[in-house]
Amino acid sequence: MKHIGLFLPIAIILFAGCEPTKPLVTGEDEEIIVFADDATWNALEPTLRAVFEDTVYTPQPERWFDLRRMPVEQFDNYETHKNRIIIAPTDGEGPVAEYVRSALSPEVKTMVNEGKEFVIVKYDTRARGQLLMFLTAPSLPALDASMQARAVGLLYYFRNMLLKRELAGLEAARRYHKTDIEQRILKQYGWTMYVQHDYLVAIDSAEARFFWMRRATPTDMERWIFVHWIPTDDPSILTDRFVLALRDSLTRRFLRTVDDAAHVEIAPYYLEVQQTDFLGRFAYEVRGNWRFSDRSGGGPFVSYAFYDTATKRISLIDGSIFAPRVEKKKLILQVDGILHTFRTEPQTIAQQ
């Protein structure tokens, strides 16, 4: 089991905020356009690919992103592209290095030269839903070392942007959601989340405090989302071991095959447990793969477990994918987006 520490953002904003009249972004979600001088690219390409083309196992290996280097002369042609990186050391030679030096304010340049910062991110510079990242340091070796040391954080920015775009899509399709179910579970259980039009309620147990909805369209793939909550005055019981044991106990009871011969369990490979901030709460984020206990199938899942002080509850919310013949990275992102629409009753009242 791989543990990842709580990530703290390291961004500095260079430019002014976006304007509502800007166009939507273009390009593929998983493509990152890189602008780099020849010397920089030749020296840092292996590290760049290791950081941003990191593998997610679903359980088949899939890359998070694909890097594509473009000549700086085509910079204007990609001004509305979803994901861009501009990378150069401050002592470098070439048009990209010159551009980076001219873009840095004196204060930021001092921080870079003192080794206090090396990444600057900006959202929506030319289009809505866009991420632009500057990577710079006093020298190529320093830039290489900084990227390797903060690899998880660098990838986080682009992964988080994927999630933001997914959430924007969910909100845009809000009128198609099953708002009657959303309102019912809010009234009955004190929490709610988006219920898309093609999700069906599979289990709704007030006694077990377990709600499970699933989507089975097309018929060769499924998406499962469940929520379980525990009233408690003791948030200290929330640990990584508690979360893993709780998920296995719930899936053993509720997520079973039709013939009741097998149940869902956490697979003992490619498992990551991360302390994170989930919608303003300290949480454990678990990413990995589930499998049937008879080894007849499996797929990826993502869980968040957190304590909410307003309702005095530990909640476990979980999304899983079963899609044997297709890539699953985008599918797990879709259920992750729905998990991020979770709101307690006090939150919904505060937002009104």
Side-chain angles (χ1 to χ4, degrees), residues 12-18 22 75 84 86 99-100 102-105 108 120-126 132-134:
I12 296 177
I13 302 302
L14 273 182
F15 305 101
C18 68
K22 289 180 180 176
F75 185 81
R84 296 181 297 168
I86 299 173
Y99 178 75
V100 169
S102 66
L104 296 179
S105 68
V108 173
I120 301 102
V121 296
K122 177 59 185 176
Y123 300 96
D124 304 339
T125 54
R126 293 291 184 270
L132 171 64
M133 175 179 285
F134 282 75

Side-chain angles (χ1 to χ4, degrees), residues 17-268:
C18 68
E19 299 169 4
T21 56
K22 289 180 180 176
L24 287 173
V25 288
T26 58
E28 299 296 325
D29 280 333
E30 296 138 342
E31 183 180 61
I32 301 177
I33 301 298
V34 181
F35 297 97
D37 295 316
D38 289 344
T40 300
W41 180 253
N42 293 336
L44 300 183
E45 180 187 1
T47 300
L48 282 164
R49 293 198 184 279
V51 171
F52 296 104
E53 294 184 348
D54 191 26
T55 302
V56 55
Y57 295 93
T58 67
Q60 294 79 16
E62 300 179 34
R63 286 194 303 220
W64 275 111
F65 296 95
D66 294 305
L67 298 185
R68 186 154 68 104
R69 185 197 175 198
M70 297 301 298
V72 70
E73 293 79 15
Q74 294 193 30
F75 185 81
D76 290 343
N77 296 336
Y78 291 89
E79 67 175 4
T80 61
H81 200 278
K82 291 180 178 178
N83 308 305
R84 296 181 297 168
I85 291 176
I86 299 173
I87 180 169
T90 56
D91 70 351
E93 296 182 359
V96 179
E98 291 178 6
Y99 178 75
V100 169
R101 284 192 292 268
S102 66
L104 296 179
S105 68
E107 295 79 12
V108 173
K109 191 176 299 183
T110 298
M111 295 179 69
V112 169
N113 290 332
E114 291 177 351
K116 297 178 179 178
E117 275 300 351
F118 79 101
V119 55
I120 301 102
V121 296
K122 177 59 185 176
Y123 300 96
D124 304 339
T125 54
R126 293 291 184 270
R128 290 171 286 160
Q130 186 177 50
L131 173 59
L132 171 64
M133 175 179 285
F134 282 75
L135 293 171
T136 186
S139 65
L140 283 173
L143 187 48
D144 192 16
S146 294
M147 284 195 295
Q148 293 190 44
R150 305 298 290 269
V152 173
L154 293 175
L155 181 61
Y156 167 85
Y157 285 113
F158 288 97
R159 284 178 53 180
N160 192 51
M161 199 64 199
L162 287 176
L163 182 60
K164 287 183 177 180
R165 296 188 192 113
E166 182 65 29
L167 286 168
L170 287 172
E171 185 60 32
R174 189 76 177 89
R175 64 185 181 276
Y176 301 114
H177 296 177
K178 294 182 175 179
T179 55
D180 57 333
I181 298 178
E182 295 173 2
Q183 291 299 317
R184 178 178 62 79
I185 58 178
L186 177 64
K187 182 178 180 179
Q188 186 173 359
Y189 299 135
W191 61 266
T192 190
M193 64 168 51
Y194 284 4
V195 180
Q196 289 183 294
H197 67 95
D198 47 6
Y199 273 81
L200 300 175
V201 177
I203 297 177
D204 184 355
S205 174
E207 180 183 3
R209 300 184 300 278
F210 187 83
F211 179 88
W212 180 33
M213 60 181 180
R214 61 195 303 180
R215 175 182 177 183
T217 53
T219 55
D220 60 346
M221 68 174 65
E222 291 206 31
R223 274 153 275 198
W224 308 331
I225 291 174
F226 72 75
V227 180
H228 175 66
W229 57 102
I230 303 171
T232 180
D233 291 322
D234 184 13
S236 68
I237 65 175
L238 183 63
T239 65
D240 53 356
R241 292 182 181 275
F242 175 86
V243 174
L244 297 176
L246 178 61
R247 186 186 193 278
D248 267 346
S249 68
L250 291 169
T251 58
R252 185 182 300 111
R253 179 179 177 184
F254 294 110
L255 274 61
R256 306 187 66 88
T257 55
V258 175
D259 60 4
D260 205 36
H263 61 268
V264 167
E265 63 184 12
I266 296 174

